[in-house]
Amino acid sequence: QASATFTNVAPGNHDITVLNTADPTCISAPTTVTVNAVPGAPAAPTAGVTVQPTCAVPTGTIVVSAPTGAGFEYSLDGGAFQAPATFTGVAPGDHDITVRNTADPTCISAPTTVTVNAVPTPPAAPTASVTVQPTCAVPTGTIVVSAPTGAALEYSLDGGAFQASATFTGVAPGGHNITVINTADPTCVSAPTPVTVNAVPTPPAAPTAGVTVQPTCAVPTGTIVVSAPTGANFQYSIDGGAFQASATFTNVAPGDHDITVINTADPTCISAPTTVTVNTVPGAPAAPTASVTVQPNCAVPTGTIEVTAPLGANFQYSLDGGVFQACTTFTGVATGTHNITLL
């Protein structure tokens, strides 16, 4: 042929000869030329996902571990070949990895399929409630998460450190947010659930109380009545004793007494005490001093008795247990022995 180029020559040894067309019978000695064997494509690569998606980073990383070296390039899903054996920012799903030898970029390996996991789903917002509200005795609350629960879950109060326990104690009054994570992917945090711990209750005001009945010689005890606060929610105590619904204390001994009140909605909240004084039992007057100032005679057959002590506006006098009178003189008294009493 006139052309000095032969194309589509199969691999192997080939003899090339030349002639001068002026004498086609004269053919040169052959020159042997070798066409190389068809190069083999690289083996399908060994590749794996070294970083799976998280809620924080929703893509994965694929790394080719073999074949590696300066003579290889790699492609993800038929895209452009690259020298690095690492693919980052890979979306979830199945992906085909191929490799070629840069000495012959036309030889591409069979694909290796690698799966990047789906982006994990954060846990649902937790179900949580305040199981113990503050009292005057314990001014903090307790919050318990009832769902979701399990060994793989941890919980946080107000963005603090996550803990395995679903219970938060010693929580201050106010609004709080509870979140949950699955420890398999701590980047997936649930939406918050708001929970409110009540304010610390206020104790009732010191009661208004007074002695409505003071002791007498006949009844040596008094009666104390609380006039405020009153109502179905209040109970009352005298001198630290048991609380009672009644606002009245009877048969109270003379002396100073402390009255306190609680609101039954929180029996730990006790008011400041109000001190009330029951008077001492009054003493009976001394036996009166009395004498007969007028004795009976034939004209007037009765006598007159006069009390000379004690005297005063506060005293009244009785003859033989009769009606008491303010007057110290008894007239028209029959003969005989008589008793004078005083109040």
Side-chain angles (χ1 to χ4, degrees):
Q1 62 182 40
S3 174
T5 300
F6 298 92
T7 60
N8 298 318
V9 181
N13 293 327
H14 300 277
D15 289 337
I16 307 300
T17 54
V18 61
L19 65 75
N20 188 317
T21 56
D23 185 353
T25 65
C26 290
I27 300 172
S28 71
T31 294
T32 301
V33 178
T34 301
V35 174
N36 292 345
V38 178
T46 301
V49 180
T50 57
V51 177
Q52 292 285 7
T54 65
C55 287
V57 181
T59 58
T61 297
I62 296 175
V63 174
V64 179
S65 56
T68 58
F72 296 102
E73 289 183 335
Y74 312 91
S75 169
L76 175 70
D77 295 327
F81 281 89
Q82 64 179 44
T86 299
F87 297 92
T88 58
V90 183
D94 293 337
H95 298 278
D96 287 337
I97 309 298
T98 53
V99 60
R100 72 180 181 182
N101 191 319
T102 55
D104 186 350
T106 67
C107 288
I108 300 173
S109 72
T112 294
T113 301
V114 179
T115 300
V116 175
N117 293 346
V119 178
T121 302
T127 301
S129 61
V130 180
T131 58
V132 177
Q133 293 285 8
T135 65
C136 288
V138 181
T140 57
T142 297
I143 296 174
V144 174
V145 178
S146 55
T149 58
L153 300 174
E154 290 187 345
Y155 311 90
S156 169
L157 174 70
D158 296 328
F162 282 89
Q163 63 180 45
S165 173
T167 299
F168 297 92
T169 58
V171 183
H176 300 277
N177 286 318
I178 309 298
T179 50
V180 59
I181 61 168
N182 189 317
T183 54
D185 185 352
T187 68
C188 287
V189 182
S190 73
T193 293
V195 179
T196 300
V197 174
N198 293 346
V200 178
T202 303
T208 301
V211 181
T212 58
V213 177
Q214 292 285 7
T216 66
C217 288
V219 181
T221 57
T223 297
I224 296 174
V225 174
V226 179
S227 56
T230 58
N233 292 333
F234 295 103
Q235 291 187 345
Y236 312 90
S237 168
I238 185 168
D239 297 327
F243 283 90
Q244 62 181 44
S246 173
T248 300
F249 297 93
T250 58
N251 299 318
V252 182
D256 291 338
H257 299 278
D258 287 335
I259 308 299
T260 51
V261 59
I262 63 169
N263 189 319
T264 54
D266 185 352
T268 68
C269 288
I270 302 174
S271 73
T274 294
T275 301
V276 180
T277 301
V278 175
N279 294 345
T280 57
V281 179
T289 301
S291 61
V292 179
T293 58
V294 177
Q295 292 286 2
N297 56 43
C298 288
V300 181
T302 57
T304 298
I305 297 174
E306 182 75 25
V307 178
T308 56
L311 303 176
N314 292 331
F315 297 104
Q316 290 188 350
Y317 312 90
S318 170
L319 175 68
D320 296 328
V323 176
F324 282 89
Q325 63 182 43
C327 180
T328 60
T329 302
F330 297 92
T331 60
V333 182
T335 59
T337 301
H338 298 278
N339 289 318
I340 308 299
T341 54
L342 169 69
L343 67 77

